Amino acid sequence: MVAAKLLSDCSNPITAIKPSSLLNSLFNHRHPAPNGAAFCHSRNFQQHPRSLSTIRASGLNRRDFIADTAAASFLLGTRQTLLETKDGGNTWISRSISSAEDEDFNYRFNAISFKGKEGWIVGKPAILLHTSDSGDSWERIPLSAELPGDMVYIKATGEKSAEMVTDEGAIYITANRGYNWRAAVQETVSATLNRTVSSGISGASYYTGTFNTVNRSPEGNYVAVSSRGNFYLTWEPGQPYWQPHNRAVARRIQNMGWRADGGLWLLVRGGGLYLSKGTGITEEFEEIPVQSRGFGILDVGYRSQEEAWAAGGSGVLLKTTNSGKSWSRDKAADNIAANLYSVKFINDKQGFVLGNDGVLLKYLG
């Protein structure tokens, strides 16, 4: 039993209670916290944990863990886990996809994306799912057995249209609901780098690795980090190949992504945060001092062009309100025994942070 506890210095305290044991609701209607921890409305994020037995059986996925439709939002995980909320994240209901349960496989759903009522899910082993009714029903789209790499990202781009990326750098585009796919690049990243050994990219010779992370900008540009973190790659629509870039810092790259103003952010092992000089694709970055307490920073999410949040190991949570020029530490997650992996803002009022062991933080404002 989790003991009830109130924070006496909070004007709007939240009681820590035992998570619901109802099988049809994986999150409690209230706002519980583990180990007796409690948070206030004055904090910007609020925790929504699940029962430990459920978390470990179907851990939530850190890659592209949440997507939004006009009526609902979804969470992804291992073992075909798909959770849906229709009340802004206060309660989450487990959804079953029959077409993903016909075979004796435990699928890890890697990414989800919606455009209006039309949505897509990709996972491992190779599976592609499509919905045209906001996720009420899903159909399975056949895939070629020769698909290079595992599908790690998908983006709904329009009616019946989507872009799909594998961890070997293949990019495919469909305009007919996934029945036909056109290759947007001419070869995998391994083939590109091994063909251009003299490119001057450190660690690129005889490259056989995969992407560690991949992120897409609203304009359709991609940035990806190599599996060892020793260089990064970019791709813009119309380019035949991925373009490799040396890292600008000594430490290995942890993650990269796009700022709200079109520039890049870069995270390195050991807790370093860098922002690119100017916007667009570049190799020039400057380090921004942050109070990471020595723990690695794992992801950054932008609520607006001025406000962004960074999350990392041991509950590290950082905030900027001046477009990244300075960052302050938010102590809302200090007592959470979890690493915070992913930050996602659906809009300026709705955001989430995902950690290990199924820890989920909800943005309060």
Side-chain angles (χ1 to χ4, degrees):
M1 179 69 179
V2 178
K5 180 180 179 182
L6 296 177
L7 286 186
S8 58
D9 59 343
C10 298
S11 59
N12 185 14
I14 297 167
T15 306
I17 61 176
K18 183 178 180 180
S20 171
S21 60
L22 295 177
L23 295 179
N24 65 336
S25 180
L26 297 180
F27 288 88
N28 195 284
H29 284 250
R30 299 193 184 185
H31 311 298
N35 302 323
F39 304 101
C40 306
H41 191 280
S42 61
R43 303 297 188 190
N44 290 85
F45 285 90
Q46 176 175 319
Q47 188 180 15
H48 292 262
R50 300 157 57 193
S51 65
L52 293 180
S53 60
T54 304
I55 292 166
R56 288 167 183 156
S58 55
L60 299 178
N61 180 24
R62 61 175 290 189
R63 284 188 183 271
D64 191 5
F65 67 95
I66 195 164
D68 171 65
T69 71
S73 299
F74 295 87
L75 278 165
L76 298 179
T78 58
R79 299 181 181 272
Q80 299 86 239
T81 297
L82 181 65
L83 309 179
E84 179 184 19
T85 181
K86 293 187 178 181
D87 58 8
N90 292 328
T91 58
W92 295 83
I93 306 299
S94 178
R95 296 291 305 273
S96 176
I97 302 179
S98 58
S99 57
E101 298 174 350
D102 294 340
E103 303 173 20
D104 189 22
F105 283 114
N106 287 323
Y107 289 102
R108 174 191 177 98
F109 290 156
N110 282 331
I112 183 171
S113 180
F114 275 87
K115 185 78 169 181
K117 293 184 178 181
E118 191 166 23
W120 306 80
I121 291 176
V122 294
K124 178 183 178 181
I127 187 171
L128 174 64
L129 302 167
H130 175 264
T131 180
S132 56
D133 55 12
S134 300
D136 290 339
S137 61
W138 295 84
E139 64 173 331
R140 185 167 178 175
I141 307 297
L143 291 168
S144 170
E146 299 179 358
L147 186 72
D150 296 320
M151 294 176 293
V152 294
Y153 183 85
I154 193 160
K155 175 67 175 180
T157 55
E159 184 178 1
K160 301 180 182 180
S161 302
E163 288 179 5
M164 179 173 63
V165 185
T166 76
D167 62 359
E168 292 188 11
I171 302 176
Y172 295 100
I173 299 173
T174 183
N176 60 359
R177 208 167 61 177
Y179 292 107
N180 299 104
W181 294 85
R182 174 179 61 85
V185 293
Q186 295 183 12
E187 59 190 11
T188 64
V189 169
S190 295
T192 297
L193 293 176
N194 291 330
R195 181 175 48 80
T196 57
V197 173
S198 60
S199 62
I201 302 302
S202 177
S205 300
Y206 305 106
Y207 174 82
T208 58
T210 56
F211 289 162
N212 183 36
T213 64
V214 57
N215 283 296
R216 183 185 188 274
S217 74
E219 295 75 29
N221 301 325
Y222 284 92
V223 60
V225 177
S226 70
S227 56
R228 294 183 178 180
N230 51 351
F231 60 94
Y232 67 98
L233 307 104
T234 59
W235 180 82
E236 298 177 87
Q239 290 182 335
Y241 313 109
W242 285 85
Q243 307 299 311
H245 305 268
N246 280 311
R247 67 178 189 267
V249 296
R251 287 177 288 175
R252 293 182 182 271
I253 304 171
Q254 187 78 47
N255 195 3
M256 292 182 69
W258 302 92
R259 305 196 304 260
D261 65 0
L264 288 165
W265 53 261
L266 182 151
L267 306 175
V268 298
R269 297 179 186 179
L273 186 153
Y274 292 75
L275 299 180
S276 65
K277 297 180 180 180
T279 60
I281 296 172
T282 181
E283 295 183 359
E284 296 186 28
F285 289 82
E286 58 180 344
E287 185 173 11
I288 307 299
V290 293
Q291 302 175 33
S292 66
R293 297 183 292 158
F295 296 102
I297 304 173
L298 303 176
D299 197 22
V300 176
Y302 278 76
R303 176 176 173 264
S304 66
Q305 188 161 320
E306 294 77 25
E307 182 180 330
W309 291 80
S314 193
V316 169
L317 198 59
L318 306 170
K319 178 184 179 182
T320 179
T321 56
N322 56 10
S323 302
K325 296 181 179 66
S326 62
W327 296 75
S328 60
R329 185 166 64 89
D330 192 290
K331 298 181 180 180
D334 280 3
N335 294 324
I336 298 176
N339 296 322
L340 304 179
Y341 290 131
S342 301
V343 184
K344 173 73 172 183
F345 280 93
I346 295 172
N347 51 52
D348 61 354
K349 295 181 179 179
Q350 191 173 12
F352 298 92
V353 174
L354 180 68
N356 65 318
D357 282 340
V359 168
L360 182 68
L361 309 183
K362 178 186 175 185
Y363 181 78
L364 294 178

